[in-house]
Amino acid sequence: MGIKGLTKLLADNAPKAMKEQKFESYFGRKIAIDASMSIYQFLIVVGRAGTEMLTNEAGEVTSHLQGMFSRTIRLLEAGMKPVYVFDGKPPDLKKQELAKRYSKRVDATEDLAEAVEAGNKEDIEKFSKRTVKVTKQHNDDCKRLLRLMGVPVVEAPSEAEAQCAALCKSGKVYAVASEDMDSLTFGASKFLRHLMDPSSRKIPVMEFEVAKILEELNLSMDQFIDLCILSGCDYCESIRGIGGQTALKLIRQHGSIEDILENINKDRYQIPEDWPYQEARKLFKEPEVFTDEEQVELKWTPPDEEGLITFLVNENGFNSDRVTKAIEKIKAAKNKSSQGRLESFFKPVANTSAPIKRKETPGNTPKETANKKTKAGGGRKKK
C-alpha cells in the first residue's frame, strides 16, 4: 500500500518538491530499485491475458523473468546503474496488513472462479490480477537472472524500501525507484516514480526530494513521519475520518501525534484500540537495515553469457537469437555507462552565485527495445 494518498498530498501542498524528468536524464546514476514492486508489476502486465500467462515448457510462469530482463536492459541502455533490493523478513507490525492482502486474494480467487464460470471476460481480467502474489520462487528467479546480467542484488534484512533509503542516505546510490512512497518516509533523499514504467506509456519520471518536501510543508522529519502514519501506512490502522489533508492540518496545528491525541475530538474521531503508532514511528526512524560496514559492495560486472543462455534459453524456453542479441546490448550498455556523467570529470568549484536551474521538460522515453510478449522471451500461455 505504501503511504495512502501521499502523492496527491504533495502535489497539492509541496509542488516544488516534485519535478518531471526525462528517463534519459539519469545517465550514469546509481539507482536502488524495490525489486518486489517491479516483479509484482511484471506478473500483472507481461504476457497476461485474462488467466493466461507466459510459461516455460514445464508450465512455470516466466512473466517476471521476461519483464525483469527487458526492463533492466532498458535501464542499462540509458546508461543507468540499477541495484535491485529484495525484501527480507517483514516486521511484526506488518502482519496485519499482510493478512488483509491474503484475505483480498482469497476473495479475488472466489470472484475469479465465478467470472470464469459465467464467461465474463472483463471480470476475469480484473479478478485474475488481484490474485497475483510474488513468491519466493519469483524472487529467487530474478536474483539469479540479475546476477547473471552483472547487476548487483541486495537482500535486505527486512523491508526493501528501508534498505533502499539507507543506500540513498549513505550516498551509495543517487535515488530510490519504486511506486510505493514508503522510501520517502524512511528518509530517502531522492525518490523516483515511474522509472520502471514501460516506454509505451510515455510518462515522465517524477522525482521527489525529501529536503524540499520538508521545506515546502514546513515540517521536521519527525513530523513528516507522523503525517505519513496518520495518512495511512502498512504498519498500523489509520484514524477513520482523517485523510492526508486533515492529517497535515492537525500536524501543523499540534506538532505530533501525541499532542493531536490529547486535543482531538474523540466523539468525531475514534482512535483504534491499542493503536501502535509509536512502534510504527520507530520502524520508520530506526528500521532494520544493513549499516555502512555491513553493506555488500555494489559492483556492476560483465554479463555471464553462458549462464544467461543456460538459464533463459535452455531452462525457460526463451528465444536463443533474441537472448544473444540482448546480451550484446547489455555489454554495449555497460561500456557506455562506464564513461560516467560529464560532471564527474570536473572537480567542484565553490560558487556563491545562485545555482542555474536545469530546464525540466517532460520527454518521451525511447521505445522499449521490443514487444514485451516476444522480445527475448519464450514460452507459451498458461491458463
Side-chain angles (χ1 to χ4, degrees):
M1 180 183 76
I3 307 301
K4 191 174 180 181
L6 185 56
T7 305
K8 186 179 186 308
L9 183 70
L10 296 179
D12 292 341
N13 298 278
K16 293 179 182 177
M18 307 165 58
K19 60 183 178 182
E20 292 183 345
Q21 292 280 43
K22 291 183 178 181
F23 180 81
E24 300 88 345
S25 67
Y26 296 100
F27 176 87
R29 297 297 194 193
K30 297 173 183 177
I31 309 290
I33 299 169
D34 177 0
S36 293
M37 172 60 67
S38 298
I39 296 169
Y40 178 77
Q41 291 174 328
F42 299 146
L43 290 171
I44 285 179
V45 175
V46 177
R48 175 182 282 272
T51 58
E52 296 182 347
M53 300 179 71
L54 287 178
T55 66
N56 58 23
E57 288 296 320
E60 298 163 332
V61 172
T62 57
S63 299
H64 56 306
L65 294 175
Q66 172 82 338
M68 185 65 77
F69 191 50
S70 56
R71 202 67 58 82
T72 303
I73 289 174
R74 181 172 174 242
L75 295 175
L76 293 171
E77 285 191 306
M80 291 180 228
K81 295 182 175 181
V83 50
Y84 286 87
V85 182
F86 288 78
D87 282 314
K89 183 182 177 182
D92 289 340
L93 274 189
K94 200 171 182 177
K95 286 180 179 177
Q96 187 177 3
E97 172 64 23
L98 295 175
K100 285 182 185 176
R101 294 179 190 177
Y102 174 78
S103 179
K104 287 180 180 178
R105 283 196 301 273
V106 170
D107 291 342
T109 301
E110 293 173 358
D111 292 335
L112 176 60
E114 292 178 8
V116 170
E117 188 175 344
N120 188 324
K121 290 184 179 180
E122 187 176 328
D123 281 353
I124 290 172
E125 189 75 24
K126 178 172 66 176
F127 293 123
S128 67
K129 291 179 179 179
R130 293 182 185 177
T131 64
V132 169
K133 181 182 187 298
V134 177
T135 66
K136 183 178 183 299
Q137 188 61 54
H138 293 143
N139 282 322
D140 289 345
D141 287 345
C142 287
K143 288 174 190 175
R144 182 179 172 190
L145 172 64
L146 291 165
R147 286 171 175 141
L148 290 171
M149 293 176 75
V151 173
V153 165
V154 174
E155 298 183 53
S158 186
E159 298 278 60
E161 296 99 329
Q163 187 62 60
C164 285
L167 289 170
C168 192
K169 287 192 285 186
S170 66
K172 301 262 184 193
V173 299
Y174 173 76
V176 175
S178 179
E179 294 309 301
D180 280 350
M181 304 285 281
D182 305 66
S183 290
L184 282 172
T185 321
F186 284 114
S189 51
K190 290 185 185 294
F191 177 80
L192 312 177
R193 286 195 78 190
H194 309 314
L195 186 78
M196 295 293 284
D197 277 6
S199 59
S200 58
R201 290 188 64 188
K202 294 182 169 32
I203 297 177
V205 178
M206 186 63 69
E207 181 176 312
F208 299 79
E209 194 168 338
V210 76
K212 289 184 179 178
I213 289 173
L214 299 180
E215 182 183 345
E216 286 275 284
L217 296 179
N218 194 25
L219 299 179
S220 67
M221 189 65 204
D222 285 352
Q223 290 173 327
F224 178 66
I225 291 171
D226 278 6
L227 168 66
C228 292
I229 294 170
L230 283 169
S231 298
C233 68
D234 288 344
Y235 302 134
C236 61
E237 295 179 70
S238 54
I239 300 172
R240 186 182 295 275
I242 295 182
Q245 203 62 48
T246 302
L248 178 58
K249 180 181 177 182
L250 289 170
I251 286 290
R252 283 174 170 168
Q253 185 177 353
H254 300 290
S256 69
I257 291 178
E258 282 82 358
D259 286 347
I260 290 171
L261 296 181
E262 284 183 14
N263 293 281
I264 202 171
N265 185 333
K266 302 292 196 306
D267 295 326
R268 183 178 179 185
Y269 302 111
Q270 293 188 346
I271 315 302
E273 191 176 349
D274 299 323
W275 193 39
Y277 72 90
Q278 291 174 316
E279 292 91 333
R281 179 194 285 156
K282 186 175 181 181
L283 271 174
F284 282 123
K285 292 181 69 174
E286 303 170 22
E288 185 181 357
V289 294
F290 291 125
T291 64
D292 285 348
E293 293 75 24
E294 295 170 324
Q295 282 174 9
V296 179
E297 185 182 359
L298 304 181
K299 291 183 69 175
W300 290 261
T301 59
D304 180 344
E305 299 181 47
E306 187 177 334
L308 279 170
I309 290 171
T310 298
F311 182 49
L312 293 178
V313 178
N314 300 348
E315 296 180 23
N316 285 289
F318 279 50
N319 180 279
S320 178
D321 288 341
R322 291 183 183 277
V323 171
T324 301
K325 289 177 182 176
I327 290 171
E328 292 305 312
K329 289 181 179 180
I330 296 171
K331 289 159 68 176
K334 290 199 173 183
N335 288 336
K336 176 183 173 184
S337 66
S338 66
Q339 298 168 11
R341 291 177 67 86
L342 182 63
E343 61 259 34
S344 67
F345 290 97
F346 302 95
K347 292 182 179 180
V349 178
N351 190 345
T352 56
S353 63
I356 299 173
K357 291 186 178 179
R358 284 190 297 178
K359 187 178 180 182
E360 297 161 8
T361 54
N364 293 336
T365 55
K367 288 190 175 181
E368 199 93 20
T369 43
N371 183 284
K372 60 188 172 188
K373 289 189 182 180
T374 58
K375 182 205 163 184
R380 54 188 177 184
K381 298 287 187 181
K382 177 183 179 182
K383 292 188 178 182

